[in-house]
Amino acid sequence: MSTSTTGDVLVDYDEVLAAYDPAMGLEVHVELNTATKMFCGCPTEFGAEPNTQVCPTCLGLPGAMPVVNAKAVESAIRIGLALNCDIAEWCRFARKNYFYPDMPKNFQTSQYDEPIAFEGWMDVLVPTADGGTETVRVEIERAHMEEDTGKSLHVGGSTGRIHGADYSLVDYNRAGIPLIEIVTKPITGLGAQAPEVAKAYVAQLRELIVALGVSDARMDQGSIRADVNLSLAPKGSGALGTRTETKNVNSLRSVERAVRYEMQRHAAVLGEGRSILQETRHWHEDTGVTTSGREKSDAEDYRYFPEPDLVPVAPSREWVEQLRGTMPENPRARLARLQESWGFTDLEMRDTVGAGALGLVEETIAAGAAPQSARKWWLGEMARRANDSGVEIGALGVTPQHVARVQAMVDAGELTDKLARQVFDGLLAGEGTPEEVVAARGLAVVSDEGALSAAVDKAIAENPAIADKIRDGKVAAAGALIGAVMKEMRGQADAARVKELVLEKLS
Amino acid sequence: MSADLTRRTAADLAADLAAGTTTSVALTQAHLDRIAAVDGGPDAGVHAFLHVDAEGALAAAAASDERRAAGSPASALDGVPIAVKDVLATRGLPTTCGSKILEGWVPPYDATVVARLRAAGLPILGKTNMDEFAMGSSTEHSAYGPTRNPWDLERIPGGSGGGSAAALAAFETPLALGTDTGGSIRQPGAVTGTVGVKPTYGGVSRYGLVAMANSLDQVGPVTRTVLDSALLHELVGGHDPLDSTSVDQPLPSLVDAARRGAEGDLSGVRVGVITELSGEGYQAGVQARFEESLELLVKAGAEVVEVSCPTFVHALATYYLIMPCEASSNLAKFDAMRYGLRVLPEGVDSPSAEQVMRATRDAGFGDEVKRRIILGTYALSSGYYDAYYGTAQRVRTLIARDFAAAFEKVDVLVSPTAPTTAFKLGEKLDDPLAMYLNDLATIPANLAGVPGMSLPSGLADEDGLPAGFQILAPALADDRMYRVGAALEAALHERWGGPLLDRAPALAAQAGPTDANGASA
Amino acid sequence: MPEITRDEVEHLANLARIDLSDAELDHLAPQLSVILESVASISGVAGDDVPPTSHALPLTNVFREDVVVPGLGAEAALAGAPESEQQRFMVPRILGDEQ
Ligand SMILES: [Zn+2]
């Protein structure tokens, strides 16, 4: 037992599993990278000045009407096909009616009982305790098209959060951007693996979306957002418990943590003989807790009905088959191919996928780096830094091209590993390209033989006892001299060359 | 000259302009003068206009005259002024939909039909009064006070588009645009002695029409003659990529059909009288004028038969389920957040957005709007969808099938437009069901999406007020009703010795011009 | 026969975000019941085998190319706003949670 920062009592994870079976459902919203919005011709660029990418339609002005973006439908079909879904021969948009200030029409144009894609699956590779991987099939219930809402800025109060704010400021640039919502069927029978499977599913779904090229797939910018539904049932009962829906879990790491947190919290509530409230909860990335949101009972009446301003979408089978031809490689086949080509061990492959770095490593190799070098940087240095700053590895600001360039400089002897790490410091600080960082920080390896030779001579002169040992054949003692030279050169020397020089001079 | 100009038809005025015997500025000014003379405001006069844009109209007229002088008019109706129902978005001109909740709202964009009017060079005189959000059959549900029927200022001008119809009947404008969801163009036409057309669903763009019931709404012409309607219909109609429900296929020429019809020969045309839409429940004088009109059609060579459409008796109930469902959702956007009225709840410190929404929607919507929102919210709420909205959509299919079967046998269907002539202001205000019965005969066309026209059939003997004759045609065959309508109009004019409106009483001059909200200044 | 009670009207008004006064509730509930009773007459008219019609003309696949069209610009977008600040729509504090 423990208590979270918000006062939630949490049951130890092992105890949760001893008493309960978890069931989870994942709803992932993918913001498409179409040039224009779902129902109007406004641009979708991230980060524009507020309310500059709006028109009568996406502002919900009286009289304005929607027209469906063909490219968004195409992307929805391609996502559906990639998830092994059936593609509807005929489907419609529906209005989901609820009031909220960031929703211009006070209904969201979505799909209800007629989604464009349904009944699919995705095989997720999950690490096993013995270092291998196993495949878990996640059943997909549906993938449907809808539109995003605007964004509110909460002003006043102490927290900058919604509660306690004096008023809010709304920007509708995001309103109407196409979203594909991908909903799994309840995932059961996972036991302790549930949090890992949740993370692996979202990570692999993200990789798939990247491969399809239909979204920027930036979790840090909200272009992929996950909602986690979780419930516990008494172990072995085969029942489904009351679920909570944790919204806007916006990093892979948080997906795992949110599932684990809710499992531990549910178990505590149930253990006290209380029941779980069916409610929406909010995930707090900074503190790693969920807090209660709206209770669902009353507001849940969305009064869905078919959107009368739009006509049905009836994708022809020819179109669907043509899009099937554009499918990226099957993820498992792709993994096998990459592992073979890179010569990674199972463990290395698993860690690469688990870190969400598969695509990054692939691109780094494509940019010229050796597979092991690419893996080493991303899974070592970059993963550590991402973890330290709590961002996705892909959102660090270091690109595969950067990593490949830095490695090339190391290979050419222009940088040591230590210097390379300082180059990454500069890249993370936004100091420009690797070359610019090297120049600005003066990080190049000194290859001036005269200066090196003088430094070696100086070290030998200052450490006569050590020099004698080396002369006597105790080569291992060279380390101390090399250290002295490196110190003299402020690290900007190639240690291997220094060693050569030392041994040469003392042989 | 001024009085003469206001009594001419749009086709006449277009000819005058083409012949150079008048200018757009002259005839626009003549209509502005007429508005100033007879329109009055909420308390007296016709009160057809909620907003008059003299400056804008005269500027557009001057531009039109320049085009004309340069020999390049933008359209056949370039320079002929028009009035626009206040439910259509007009850039830079207030658009209130007859509701307090939109008081002062000035759209930053034009409805497609309005853009087409502007592109064709028609000066826009102003925005016409209507039942709030087009919900009503009397224009009494306008938040800005009722419009009065020019035939008798104690009576209703029909609704929801009473303002447009009354403006035509009072010679305040030669043309107007209306919208028709359950009869809002045709029923006002009937009770004011004017012509109104609801086009085939999808025939005219709805982009910029503030929706009441999206699957039923259509924009259409309000005029004094069938030919004028055809001219305006052709001008605003046709495919619009901004309206997904807009039909992308060419229609037969409506103006040609009207001209051909006016020659008076209807031989070979089969006319079906809808059994369910006449007789019991229809005022004797309305029924009498309807039957006389049928005789004239026979005289013109048409074959008149009776056709039964048994499911039409369910049309009203079907309509009053579908319409409130769609309306309740459409009207959700009026929430005080982005435009329009914002009312702070009384006695609440630092109210929340939700409290402001509630207070604004209570203060900003009238009774009829609230009734329909609650009704629609109920019918869509969980557990009721199938029983109400779903059922209504299935009955709609049956009504469409009745139309299809009838049009196998006949070319057009006919009925009286409204069961009665204009009733007294206030008479049915507190009896929603009685009010709804006005649309009994017009609603089936909206449910099936077929076009409908109303034209005057004469004056009822018992009250001397206008009655309407409705012509319905198959979807996309709007030309048929123009042909039959023009033939009947010609025969009636011959019988009457001129248009029916010549018999309307003269209107007393009002105190002063109208301001933005129609109040006397 | 369906009947809408006063409590039900209050609940519906709540869903529809309208602050009805007591007088309005008293007035509306019986009117709504009468209307509902009258429109309920169509239950059973169409069998389950009759497909619903939601559009008068059966169009499908009306799409728009994914090409940017100029919008309103912030000034025009905000022109009708009851209040604005920092080029954004200023709205009263939001109590509920995001959906
Ligand atoms: Zn837009």
Side-chain angles (χ1 to χ4, degrees):
Chain A
M1 288 276 205
S2 61
T3 307
S4 80
T5 53
T6 47
D8 285 330
V9 176
L10 303 177
V11 170
D12 291 346
Y13 195 61
D14 290 344
E15 289 173 37
V16 177
L17 295 165
Y20 300 101
D21 292 327
M24 60 181 185
L26 295 157
E27 293 173 16
V28 175
H29 287 88
V30 177
E31 210 175 70
L32 297 180
N33 61 0
T34 49
T36 65
K37 294 185 178 181
M38 186 75 226
F39 302 115
C40 65
C42 290
T44 55
E45 275 153 48
F46 184 80
E49 288 296 304
N51 294 303
T52 54
Q53 300 183 345
V54 293
C55 72
T57 297
C58 58
L59 265 185
L61 293 188
M65 295 177 71
V67 186
V68 175
N69 182 340
K71 177 80 178 186
V73 176
E74 180 188 293
S75 297
I77 295 172
R78 293 183 67 231
I79 289 173
L81 289 173
L83 292 170
N84 305 293
C85 288
D86 290 342
I87 304 302
E89 300 205 9
W90 189 92
C91 67
R92 285 185 293 191
F93 286 94
R95 291 185 181 180
K96 180 181 183 182
N97 293 286
Y98 65 94
F99 286 81
Y100 203 79
D102 67 10
M103 207 170 47
K105 299 166 291 182
N106 285 324
F107 60 79
Q108 182 189 32
T109 308
S110 179
Q111 293 195 285
Y112 180 45
D113 48 0
E114 297 159 340
I116 188 152
F118 51 94
E119 295 289 327
W121 47 265
M122 186 166 96
D123 280 343
V124 179
L125 293 175
V126 189
T128 53
D130 61 4
T133 54
E134 70 173 307
T135 301
V136 173
R137 176 158 293 193
V138 173
E139 307 271 349
I140 306 293
E141 165 128 2
R142 57 190 279 153
H144 72 250
M145 301 177 277
E146 60 184 35
E147 57 180 340
D148 212 340
T149 59
K151 263 186 186 165
S152 304
L153 202 67
H154 306 295
V155 182
S158 52
T159 57
R161 288 221 179 107
I162 189 165
H163 295 287
D166 295 330
Y167 58 93
S168 298
L169 297 174
V170 192
D171 167 16
Y172 293 102
N173 281 348
R174 198 180 68 177
I177 290 185
L179 292 178
I180 306 299
E181 180 174 339
I182 299 159
V183 183
T184 67
K185 293 186 177 175
I187 311 169
T188 55
L190 295 174
Q193 272 187 312
E196 267 175 323
V197 170
K199 179 186 173 189
Y201 165 73
V202 178
Q204 258 174 258
L205 181 58
R206 190 184 158 279
E207 298 278 358
L208 187 67
I209 295 299
V210 169
L212 285 165
V214 294
S215 168
D216 300 339
R218 291 281 299 265
M219 289 191 86
D220 58 310
Q221 289 184 356
S223 53
I224 291 191
R225 312 196 277 273
D227 300 343
V228 174
N229 294 323
L230 185 109
S231 64
L232 293 182
K235 198 161 184 67
S237 68
L240 282 178
T242 303
R243 69 188 167 90
T244 52
E245 183 176 359
T246 303
K247 289 279 192 188
N248 290 329
V249 187
N250 289 342
S251 74
L252 292 176
R253 200 167 67 111
S254 295
V255 170
E256 183 171 3
R257 290 168 74 204
V259 171
R260 190 181 300 267
Y261 184 91
E262 279 296 283
M263 284 171 68
Q264 292 177 276
R265 192 185 65 81
H266 277 221
V269 171
L270 295 170
E272 286 169 19
R274 292 184 293 137
S275 46
I276 295 293
L277 220 50
Q278 184 172 343
E279 62 177 355
T280 298
R281 296 187 67 85
H282 294 283
W283 171 252
H284 301 276
E285 191 90 31
D286 44 357
T287 49
V289 302
T290 67
T291 57
S292 176
R294 167 180 49 88
E295 265 187 66
K296 293 215 110 178
S297 53
D298 178 64
E300 184 95 293
D301 194 345
Y302 291 128
R303 286 159 285 136
Y304 281 102
F305 73 104
E307 167 56 79
D309 275 341
L310 293 172
V311 304
V313 174
S316 72
R317 296 302 98 178
E318 294 73 28
W319 190 24
V320 172
E321 286 318 304
Q322 181 205 327
L323 292 176
R324 201 186 296 279
T326 69
M327 283 300 100
E329 191 178 6
N330 165 307
R332 291 173 76 186
R334 173 166 173 255
L335 280 180
R337 175 177 59 78
L338 292 177
Q339 184 173 2
E340 161 92 27
S341 134
W342 297 343
F344 281 10
T345 64
D346 285 354
L347 186 64
E348 286 168 345
M349 205 64 196
R350 189 195 87 181
D351 289 347
T352 306
V353 172
L358 189 70
L360 296 167
V361 169
E362 188 181 17
E363 281 183 65
T364 306
I365 295 167
Q372 286 299 347
S373 305
R375 189 189 63 79
K376 181 189 74 181
W377 286 120
W378 284 111
L379 269 67
E381 195 65 17
M382 298 307 144
R384 185 177 60 73
R385 289 169 189 257
N387 201 43
D388 287 351
S389 48
V391 300
E392 290 299 309
I393 193 164
L396 276 171
V398 174
T399 67
Q401 289 69 31
H402 287 156
V403 174
R405 182 72 197 106
V406 170
Q407 181 59 39
M409 291 161 99
V410 172
D411 292 342
E414 294 161 24
L415 288 176
T416 61
D417 275 11
K418 191 175 168 201
L419 286 173
R421 278 191 280 277
Q422 293 179 46
V423 175
F424 287 125
D425 288 340
L427 290 170
L428 287 171
E431 291 171 15
T433 64
E435 288 82 353
E436 286 163 354
V437 174
V438 166
R441 293 196 172 201
L443 296 176
V445 168
V446 174
S447 52
D448 177 343
E449 283 282 320
L452 256 189
S453 179
V456 171
D457 290 345
K458 187 175 173 225
I460 291 170
E462 285 172 1
N463 298 283
I466 295 171
D468 286 343
K469 280 185 186 169
I470 298 170
R471 284 195 191 93
D472 292 347
K474 290 187 177 160
V475 176
L481 279 187
I482 294 166
V485 173
M486 293 304 280
K487 197 177 172 195
E488 176 75 19
M489 301 299 295
R490 276 181 271 120
Q492 291 171 241
D494 180 352
R497 180 66 192 136
V498 173
K499 187 177 179 186
E500 274 174 31
L501 280 175
V502 168
L503 296 181
E504 223 170 79
K505 288 177 190 278
L506 297 177
S507 61
Chain B
M1 185 70 186
S2 181
D4 283 339
L5 283 176
T6 61
R7 296 189 81 87
R8 291 175 72 72
T9 68
D12 291 341
L13 292 173
D16 294 347
L17 287 167
T21 58
T22 187
T23 64
S24 178
V25 167
L27 62 92
T28 300
Q29 188 60 57
H31 285 96
L32 290 169
D33 291 346
R34 175 72 180 170
I35 293 168
V38 303
D39 205 55
D43 302 319
V46 178
H47 194 218
F49 283 86
L50 291 177
H51 182 86
V52 176
D53 182 27
E55 199 182 322
L58 288 169
S64 169
D65 287 336
E66 276 177 35
R67 279 192 298 275
R68 184 82 62 182
S72 53
S75 72
L77 292 175
D78 192 347
V80 179
I82 189 166
V84 175
K85 190 179 180 182
D86 207 30
V87 73
L88 292 161
T90 42
R91 183 188 199 129
L93 268 181
T95 299
T96 67
C97 301
S99 179
K100 280 279 179 234
I101 212 160
L102 272 180
E103 188 159 14
W105 183 58
V106 179
Y109 79 107
D110 272 334
T112 295
V113 289
V114 171
R116 287 182 183 177
L117 294 180
R118 293 196 205 268
L122 284 75
I124 295 172
L125 295 168
K127 304 298 289 290
T128 57
N129 200 4
M130 54 185 283
D131 284 299
E132 184 176 5
F133 288 110
M135 296 181 180
S137 307
S138 68
T139 315
E140 291 168 289
H141 295 304
S142 167
Y144 304 102
T147 296
R148 295 174 198 83
N149 193 323
W151 288 82
D152 175 352
L153 296 177
E154 303 282 295
R155 290 179 187 267
I156 60 106
S160 65
S164 284
L168 262 304
F171 299 97
E172 295 173 84
T173 182
L175 294 168
L177 282 180
T179 62
D180 189 314
T181 306
S184 288
I185 287 176
R186 290 162 289 158
Q187 181 258 5
V191 301
T192 59
T194 57
V195 176
V197 173
K198 182 204 91 75
T200 296
Y201 183 81
V204 180
S205 170
R206 291 187 294 115
Y207 184 80
L209 157 60
V210 182
M212 166 160 67
N214 326 57
S215 73
L216 306 166
D217 296 339
Q218 263 299 283
V219 181
V222 179
T223 63
R224 286 190 292 265
T225 68
V226 172
L227 177 61
D228 282 0
S229 274
L231 287 163
L232 183 54
H233 187 160
E234 279 194 0
L235 195 150
V236 297
H239 182 243
D240 177 14
L242 297 178
D243 173 359
S244 304
T245 62
S246 166
V247 178
D248 191 6
Q249 65 187 81
L251 286 180
S253 167
L254 308 176
V255 174
D256 288 353
R259 291 217 161 98
R260 187 151 56 99
E263 291 163 12
D265 181 11
L266 290 180
S267 37
V269 175
R270 296 165 303 164
V271 174
V273 178
I274 304 167
T275 312
E276 288 75 13
L277 298 185
S278 62
E280 202 192 332
Y282 288 74
Q283 191 180 318
V286 170
Q287 186 70 27
R289 296 295 89 79
F290 175 66
E291 279 160 20
E292 282 168 19
S293 298
L294 290 177
E295 287 163 23
L296 292 177
L297 292 177
V298 171
K299 246 187 196 166
E303 181 194 341
V304 176
V305 296
E306 194 166 309
V307 178
S308 175
C309 295
T311 59
F312 282 17
V313 299
H314 303 296
L316 194 64
T318 303
Y319 177 79
Y320 275 94
L321 283 173
I322 292 171
M323 177 272 297
C325 287
E326 295 182 11
S328 69
S329 172
N330 289 330
L331 296 183
K333 61 167 67 81
F334 301 101
D335 66 355
M337 298 296 117
R338 290 161 295 278
Y339 43 78
L341 189 69
R342 178 178 285 182
V343 172
L344 303 180
E346 271 177 55
V348 181
D349 271 346
S350 163
S352 68
E354 192 179 311
Q355 287 171 316
V356 172
M357 285 183 190
R358 290 173 192 282
T360 303
R361 289 164 65 77
D362 184 48
F365 289 140
D367 268 2
E368 181 62 20
V369 174
K370 288 176 188 168
R371 267 194 288 272
R372 297 194 193 188
I373 289 177
I374 302 286
L375 199 60
T377 304
Y378 173 83
L380 285 176
S381 61
S382 52
Y384 295 120
Y385 175 87
D386 276 338
Y388 293 118
Y389 195 75
T391 298
Q393 297 287 54
R394 286 205 300 277
V395 177
R396 198 173 172 178
T397 305
L398 296 181
I399 289 166
R401 286 178 183 171
D402 269 3
F403 266 116
F407 286 126
E408 293 279 308
K409 297 178 205 134
V410 297
D411 300 307
V412 294
L413 291 164
V414 296
S415 77
T417 309
T420 67
T421 56
F423 48 89
K424 287 255 169 61
L425 287 161
E427 195 179 314
K428 300 184 179 177
L429 204 47
D430 244 344
D431 187 351
L433 273 187
M435 188 73 91
Y436 297 169
L437 285 172
N438 280 289
D439 298 330
L440 205 60
T442 45
I443 279 173
N446 299 83
L447 290 170
V450 305
M453 167 189 287
S454 176
L455 70 157
S457 59
L459 303 178
D461 298 325
E462 53 275 21
D463 51 22
L465 292 167
F469 185 91
Q470 177 175 237
I471 307 169
L472 305 169
L476 304 175
D478 303 49
D479 58 313
R480 289 191 200 170
M481 64 187 185
Y482 280 102
R483 182 179 170 201
V484 174
L488 177 59
E489 181 184 58
L492 286 165
H493 282 197
E494 196 182 314
R495 169 174 288 192
W496 300 329
L500 190 67
L501 277 168
D502 283 356
R503 305 194 205 174
L507 290 166
Q510 295 301 308
T514 54
D515 74 2
N517 291 318
S520 293
Chain C
M1 272 299 128
E3 192 174 322
I4 309 187
T5 63
R6 196 177 181 282
D7 282 353
E8 216 166 346
V9 173
E10 197 169 3
H11 167 72
L12 294 166
N14 209 34
L15 263 181
R17 298 287 189 274
I18 304 176
D19 235 349
L20 291 181
S21 65
D22 283 349
E24 284 178 306
L25 286 170
D26 291 339
H27 182 64
L28 271 175
Q31 282 184 338
L32 290 169
S33 289
V34 170
I35 297 169
L36 200 64
E37 193 174 313
S38 138
V39 299
S41 66
I42 59 164
S43 63
V45 167
D48 289 341
D49 56 326
V50 177
T53 295
S54 54
H55 285 95
L57 291 168
L59 301 174
T60 55
N61 294 339
V62 175
F63 299 136
R64 178 176 61 75
E65 290 307 309
D66 186 26
V67 175
V68 172
V69 175
L72 285 175
E75 198 184 326
L78 290 156
E83 288 181 89
S84 67
E85 191 179 294
Q86 297 177 37
Q87 208 169 300
R88 292 173 171 91
F89 292 83
M90 187 171 162
V91 305
R93 67 202 171 84
I94 300 169
L95 272 189
D97 284 300
E98 293 191 54
Q99 302 273 321

